[in-house]
């Protein structure tokens, strides 16, 4: 009997190996988790490859994957990871380069910023699925048409800055929210090498572009008198939900609460600041990555490709409201004002740097913004120069 049982087990294992079995880690919940499980069932039915979906807390995924993959203790693929994890994960050797599995037709059908986001060291390390950025969100009961120029913007913002209402608020000391102003004045975080990879030795937040951006951010508080001291994300977000704020800089993650509050809102890019070029935000992209140590890479990649197809990006948007990066999906959703508004701003932006050196930038950058906006006579140039020196020293490991 024992021999018969062992023979049956070996036979079952052989069938499983022949058909293939892949494991997916995901941080999804609610309708998005149901979407993923439905896609897993469809894929299994169509291919005979079993797909096991395992829920893992978002905060645990990166470290668990980096440590577990070489030991054979990680999933075959993760749905999804933010692109700014890619540098650390790729440097650890746990991500399979997927460029060899991606056709030119597929790549040309994506927003370029999404492909850029998942590229590291000249290679593609994930299949982009959705993106997000901040944008100008305006209360249509107060602002019928979004401002196209700085003068129009300033006139509207001042009109509603009355003491009882506010014209424009956002988290003034947050580097993520302020990147668009730096970009508009010609600043950047890291330059690029000839192969397109980011160069941490080329820091572009300082000099005249950095001074101009810092001064403009300071002016929002002290010259234009739009953003009082003490306003942070929570204050700005609460004022918008209460209907007393005309315009806010925020992202799609806030829209659920705005809808619950019964707000009639629109989404648009910010206009270029005075003396600057086009504003463009930091972009965050989420995508599917494959385990470099997987024993079922082809099955994992094929499931990943099915997930990020235009049709499934549309279905994923319907499940959770995420903004697709597929141009075909965006065309199908062109009548959705949220998708149209955020996809427009996403296309204007730059992906957050995905190299490990970015971890040395956030702290000094945030501290510099706090100092710049702390008092009317702050020395913007010295603060920016000190910030750059601190970042460069940290990157060099000194």
């Amino acid at each position: 009997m024992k021999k018969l049982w062992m023979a049956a087990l070996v036979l079952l294992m052989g069938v499983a190996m022949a058909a293939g079995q892949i494991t997916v880690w995901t941080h999804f919940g609610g309708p998005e988790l149901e979407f993923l499980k439905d896609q897993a069932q469809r894929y299994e039915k169509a291919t005979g490859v079993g797909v096991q979906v395992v829920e893992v807390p978002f905060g645990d995924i990166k470290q668990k994957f980096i440590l577990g993959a070489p030991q054979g203790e990680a999933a075959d693929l993760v749905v999804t990871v933010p692109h700014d994890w890619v540098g650390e994960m790729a440097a650890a050797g746990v991500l399979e380069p997927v460029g060899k599995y991606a056709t030119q037709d597929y790549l040309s059908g994506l927003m370029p910023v999404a492909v850029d986001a998942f590229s590291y060291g000249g290679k593609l390390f994930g299949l982009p699925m959705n993106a997000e950025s901040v944008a100008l969100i305006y209360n249509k009961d107060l602002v019928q048409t979004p401002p196209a120029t700085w003068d129009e913007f300033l006139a509207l913002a001042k009109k509603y800055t009355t003491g009882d209402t506010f014209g424009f608020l956002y988290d003034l000391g947050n580097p993520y929210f302020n990147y668009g102003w730096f970009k508009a004045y010609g600043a950047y975080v890291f330059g690029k090498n000839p192969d397109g990879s980011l160069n941490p030795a080329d820091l572009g937040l300082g000099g005249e572009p950095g001074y101009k951006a810092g001064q403009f951010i300071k002016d929002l508080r002290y010259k234009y008198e739009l953003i009082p001291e003490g306003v942070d994300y929570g204050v700005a977000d609460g004022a918008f939900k209460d209907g007393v704020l005309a315009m806010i800089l925020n992202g799609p993650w806030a829209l659920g609460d705005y809808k619950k509050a019964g707000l009639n809102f629109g989404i648009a890019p910010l206009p270029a600041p005075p003396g600057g070029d086009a504003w463009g935000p930091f972009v965050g992209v989420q995508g599917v990555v494959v385990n470099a140590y997987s024993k079922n890479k082809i099955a994992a990649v094929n499931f990943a490709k099915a997930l990020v197809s235009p049709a499934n990006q549309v279905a994923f948007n319907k499940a959770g409201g995420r903004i697709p990066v597929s141009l075909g999906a965006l065309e199908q959703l062109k009548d959705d004002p949220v998708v149209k508004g955020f996809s427009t701003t996403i296309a204007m932006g730059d992906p957050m740097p995905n190299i490990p050196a970015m971890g040395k930038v956030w702290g000094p950058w945030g501290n510099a913004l706090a100092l710049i906006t702390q008092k009317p006579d702050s020395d913007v140039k010295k603060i920016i120069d000190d910030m750059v020196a601190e970042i460069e020293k940290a990157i060099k490991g000194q």
Side-chain angles (χ1 to χ4, degrees), residues 119-241:
S119 298
Y120 175 78
K123 296 180 180 180
L124 186 68
F125 279 98
L127 301 182
M129 191 167 179
N130 55 273
E132 64 185 18
S133 75
V134 294
L136 182 69
I137 304 176
Y138 58 97
N139 185 330
K140 286 188 173 183
D141 292 338
L142 302 175
V143 178
Q144 283 70 50
T145 304
T149 67
W150 172 252
D151 288 341
E152 290 176 7
F153 174 86
L154 187 59
L156 276 169
K158 283 190 168 293
K159 176 182 177 181
Y160 290 107
T161 303
T162 66
D164 295 320
T165 61
F166 300 92
F168 176 61
L169 298 176
Y170 76 99
D171 193 358
L172 192 65
N174 189 319
Y176 172 80
F177 283 78
N178 279 302
Y179 173 75
W181 306 127
F182 279 83
K183 176 180 171 66
Y185 286 111
Y188 55 89
V189 183
F190 299 124
K192 290 189 174 182
N193 296 310
D195 66 355
S197 60
L198 293 171
N199 179 6
D202 180 7
L203 187 67
L205 291 174
E208 283 300 320
Y211 303 155
K212 289 178 180 178
Q215 185 61 51
F216 173 76
I217 292 164
K218 178 180 174 180
D219 287 347
L220 289 172
R221 172 162 292 167
Y222 297 110
K223 178 180 178 180
Y224 303 118
E225 298 181 326
L226 296 179
I227 305 174
E229 187 177 352
V231 171
D232 58 12
Y233 180 88
V235 171
D237 186 57
F240 196 80
K241 284 187 283 192

Side-chain angles (χ1 to χ4, degrees), residues 248-262:
I248 187 173
L249 184 61
N250 213 341
W253 52 82
L255 298 188
D257 286 342
Y258 297 167
K259 290 176 181 177
K260 288 178 184 176

Side-chain angles (χ1 to χ4, degrees), residues 16-376:
M17 289 296 289
Q21 176 80 26
I22 57 175
T23 302
V24 178
W25 283 355
T26 188
H27 55 86
F28 290 169
E32 292 183 338
L33 179 59
E34 292 309 309
F35 161 84
L36 179 58
K37 289 181 176 179
D38 179 63
Q39 292 301 317
Q41 291 175 357
R42 290 170 182 262
Y43 184 76
E44 185 169 352
K45 185 175 180 181
T47 66
V49 177
V51 181
Q52 181 185 20
V53 176
V54 179
E55 299 169 58
V56 179
F58 179 79
D60 296 344
I61 287 177
K62 180 172 66 173
Q63 199 65 12
K64 189 174 181 180
F65 196 85
I66 289 174
L67 295 176
Q71 310 302 322
E73 297 173 356
D76 297 285
L77 67 164
V78 181
V79 183
T80 56
V81 303
H83 82 271
D84 53 333
W85 289 4
V86 166
E88 183 179 352
M89 296 176 81
V94 297
L95 295 186
E96 173 75 1
V98 294
K100 58 190 173 186
Y101 305 107
T103 66
Q104 193 55 46
D105 282 348
Y106 162 72
L107 295 175
S108 63
L110 296 172
M111 298 178 77
V113 69
V115 178
D116 193 15
F118 269 88
S119 298
Y120 175 78
K123 296 180 180 180
L124 186 68
F125 279 98
L127 301 182
M129 191 167 179
N130 55 273
E132 64 185 18
S133 75
V134 294
L136 182 69
I137 304 176
Y138 58 97
N139 185 330
K140 286 188 173 183
D141 292 338
L142 302 175
V143 178
Q144 283 70 50
T145 304
T149 67
W150 172 252
D151 288 341
E152 290 176 7
F153 174 86
L154 187 59
L156 276 169
K158 283 190 168 293
K159 176 182 177 181
Y160 290 107
T161 303
T162 66
D164 295 320
T165 61
F166 300 92
F168 176 61
L169 298 176
Y170 76 99
D171 193 358
L172 192 65
N174 189 319
Y176 172 80
F177 283 78
N178 279 302
Y179 173 75
W181 306 127
F182 279 83
K183 176 180 171 66
Y185 286 111
Y188 55 89
V189 183
F190 299 124
K192 290 189 174 182
N193 296 310
D195 66 355
S197 60
L198 293 171
N199 179 6
D202 180 7
L203 187 67
L205 291 174
E208 283 300 320
Y211 303 155
K212 289 178 180 178
Q215 185 61 51
F216 173 76
I217 292 164
K218 178 180 174 180
D219 287 347
L220 289 172
R221 172 162 292 167
Y222 297 110
K223 178 180 178 180
Y224 303 118
E225 298 181 326
L226 296 179
I227 305 174
E229 187 177 352
V231 171
D232 58 12
Y233 180 88
V235 171
D237 186 57
F240 196 80
K241 284 187 283 192
D242 289 342
V244 297
L245 174 59
M247 298 179 288
I248 187 173
L249 184 61
N250 213 341
W253 52 82
L255 298 188
D257 286 342
Y258 297 167
K259 290 176 181 177
K260 288 178 184 176
L263 294 170
N264 181 22
F265 59 84
I267 301 158
L270 276 165
D277 293 323
W279 170 90
F282 260 153
V283 176
V285 183
Q286 295 264 346
V288 184
V289 296
V290 175
N291 186 343
Y293 293 88
S294 170
K295 296 180 180 178
N296 293 293
K297 288 178 186 175
I298 298 301
V301 168
N302 285 337
F303 182 54
K305 290 167 76 172
L307 284 175
V308 302
S309 69
N312 279 334
Q313 288 197 24
V314 171
F316 190 54
N317 168 266
K318 299 297 185 183
R322 310 264 185 163
I323 311 301
V325 296
S326 158
L327 299 179
L330 291 174
E331 176 63 23
Q332 292 181 55
L333 294 166
K334 63 183 178 182
D335 294 329
D336 183 320
V338 171
V339 172
K340 183 177 180 180
F342 275 110
S343 64
T344 299
T345 63
I346 287 166
M348 296 170 65
D350 297 325
M352 286 184 292
N354 63 8
I355 59 176
M358 188 61 192
K360 309 294 185 181
V361 175
W362 291 114
W365 195 1
N367 292 338
L369 291 172
L371 291 172
I372 285 170
T373 58
Q374 192 175 61
K375 53 186 180 179

